[in-house]
Amino acid sequence: MKAIRRFTVRPVLPEPLRPLSDLARNLRWSWHTETRELFQTVDPEGWQSCGGDPVRLLGTVSAARLTELAADRRFLRRLATVADDLDDYLHGRRWYQANSGGGRTAADAPRFPAAVAYFSPEFGVTAALPQYSGGLGILAGDHLKAASDLGVPLIGVGLLYRHGYFRQSLSRDGWQQEHYPVLDPNELPVSLLREDDGTPARVSLALPGGRSLHAHIWVARVGRVPLLMLDSDVEENGPGERDVTDRLYGGGSEHRLLQEMLLGIGGVRAVRAYCRLTDHPEPEVFHTNEGHAGFLGLERIRELGAYGLDFDAALEAVRAGTVFTTHTPVPAGIDRFDRELVARHFGERAELPGVPVEKVLQLGMETYPGGEPNLFNMAVMGLRLAQRANGVSKLHGAVSRSMFAGLWPGFDSAEVPITSVTNGVHAPTWVAPEVLGLGARQIGTSRAEDALSVGGSDRWDAVADIPDSEIWELRRSLREQLVTEVRARLRASWRQRGAGTAELGWIDGVLDPDVLTIGFARRVPSYKRLTLMLRDRDRLMELLLHPTRPVQIVVAGKAHPADDSGKKLVRELVRFADDPRVRHRIVFLPDYGMGMAQKLYPGCDVWLNNPLRPLEACGTSGMKAALNGGLNLSVLDGWWDEWFEPDFGWAIPTADGSATDEDRRDELEAAALYSLIENQVAPRFYDSGSSGLPGRWIEMVRRTLTSLGPKVLAGRMVREYVERLYAPAAQAHRALDAATAQELAAWKARVRDCWPQVAVDHVEALDQAAPAALAATAELGSTLALRVRVALGALQPEDVEVQAVAGRVDSDDAIRDARTFPLKPAGGPDLEGRWMFEGPLELERTGPFGYTVRILPSHRLIPAGADLGLVALPTETAGEDAGLLMR
């Protein structure tokens, strides 16, 4: 019989146990071992059946057990200790407060922002709050946790999806099946934001046709960081509007547009409501994690318009305090909407009535060669609304600069204003308690915890003193735990696939805790190449079944529900893993998520990653394995391209030349993968010396922990965001009051109007040592005196910067490794209105060398370089041949 209504009955905790509620409602428990251990003692069996979720656990504990615990002095002492520790964590002075500086006067303001709002379409904080699909969400969750550890006053903003992403199972023949269980917020570790009178706080958006989209605001406590999640499943909405936040990355184009409007526009309104109701400082910086949240900039423009700023001035004020992070290495991965669809949802009869629709549409226009004029590009809008942008690894930064170079015509891709901050992972979440315990025995618990959350290479160096035997025993113990976990999950999967108990005896022999274990787990788009390992199945079987150096592989991953090609890859892998000849050596585990990952990463000796280079923006799964002593076997892509060293892993050679077709490329790279495993990875794992231990392998584990450990931390990543992006954005934001923003917008308009008249008229260069002898060669160490005559139209010299750009030149005369040298005004205007600029150019490099000159807009309130996307370069008749051969 089915219930006609569902609701949650909350337990009434005895007074001595009231701190349990606070501990359960703050998601710090998800990375704090002592808190999880405390809840486990409440009801060990219930803890397992609830999946390690304290909120669900407290909803199932009997009243008798609660009464018993309320009288248990030992338990109450533990509870008081853990509760006090949380209080210290939430209110203590941390890295951010110690390094922000500033005094009590406005002139001595802290260099860090008062607060930062961080918007993302998904957040992977814990399996108990399933609001993520993959790496983007896990990264966002780790960003919040690291910000909390460092004391960064961050506010997370996302959506609450009533069905999450999806749960994955397999049919009997290995086809992926999706399930969408309904999530009741009252059973999640979240609380409803309420007005002072107790009614739920609400944000509303106007929709075409006089409709409205309303949303409640749920708050999750991620340590010190509040995570606001908007939920459209409220009674005031019609059926279509209630379903806007039904599932992550689901629905058609309009459905996605409404999600992204609610995230961006509604998210800013939710932040304002939260700050009003809690006295939290208002954000000075808004961080857009991928283009999905880009509409937040439009809402902030609307807010400023209400204070009298016109669109262009408001745009300048918004840009100054906005950071945009792109995670997408290919144009196909960007959300793009039909322009007419976007236009219909904005303007006088819909949302943001004070913001001109044509201005909105211009922000998303693909104004570059090959751009689609009828599409609205969310990433393009994100870049135009942010003064600071970044990719998520050095390689991805370069890929992004190339991909978006068309937005800055006239500039080399290296000068496109997109920097990079390489991702990191939140070590307290991903490091196995046994690994933390080993470190604690070496340097003490508090120092080990600091090493994981804040960093410090001196603490990580202590790994060098841990005996080989302890490291090897730890690795075997983690591998053994993984074997147990895999067998349990595999048995459950086969039961779902329809197998009876009598068919499953073979599962007790799946995997071996003494066999080299390789892990591969991720989403299943084609570029990640789930089935590259199956390219030569006979060769793979030989590796799996080798008589003295066998290999075993654990695979997991989800294909998007609408991606049938991805589902075919899953089925292909599953069918191979079902083969009775190898099923004890290779397994596919369905329903990959955070709970599985936290067992998988520590238990694998090697983490495999074989994407198509350079399509992996960062790829943080290998970082999580490394923090547990796992070695990486990966294509040089994402973070591995940046930090690979032979001391702690292997690089899979790539065949990514333009002349190599797709099939041939996969064949070559698969062969290279097999060769590495057979000839390098497996021999090193099984090569035991006189001590009976594989000393060279253990040394690689040690080097992984000491060298990679401090680099891959989310704490390092968030510190970089604060110092390199948030702090400058806060300073820029403070510099742009209403009058200054209006002044800057007027200056930009004037520069754009006048720029067609700006030109390099003539360039001449003399060797200062021998003015009459300048030729095609020059001596190293000599100096050229450059004189450049320029036309500025109605602009003045203070409106521009004239630069010499010099460096090595290739066979096409393109300047490589360029350096810029500003030239100074030296006179003018002449009778023709021309100005003279001059300056020295030192010849510091030998070999083919060249220079050019250019004119850029310059203003004290904008970053130097390509910010406006305007540049004037010499014509062929402007001056002498710039090429010089240095000797």
Side-chain angles (χ1 to χ4, degrees), residues 205-217:
L205 273 67
L207 301 182
R211 297 174 297 133
S212 295
L213 172 60
H214 306 288
H216 287 162
I217 305 163

Side-chain angles (χ1 to χ4, degrees), residues 718-797:
V718 172
R719 288 200 309 273
E720 284 195 41
Y721 273 109
V722 169
E723 293 171 334
R724 293 177 48 205
L725 296 172
Y726 295 168
Q731 299 298 330
H733 163 79
R734 294 166 189 165
L736 281 182
D737 57 20
T740 310
Q742 205 75 54
E743 173 201 329
L744 179 59
W747 177 84
K748 283 190 173 183
R750 180 167 62 87
V751 168
R752 290 191 177 100
D753 287 344
C754 295
W755 202 254
Q757 286 74 52
V758 174
V760 177
D761 185 62
H762 181 72
V763 181
E764 62 181 30
L766 297 174
D767 188 329
Q768 290 183 345
L774 184 64
T777 62
E779 296 286 346
L780 176 67
S782 59
T783 300
L784 300 184
L786 293 182
R787 290 175 57 83
V788 182
R789 192 171 65 214
V790 303
L792 297 182
L795 299 181
Q796 297 298 308

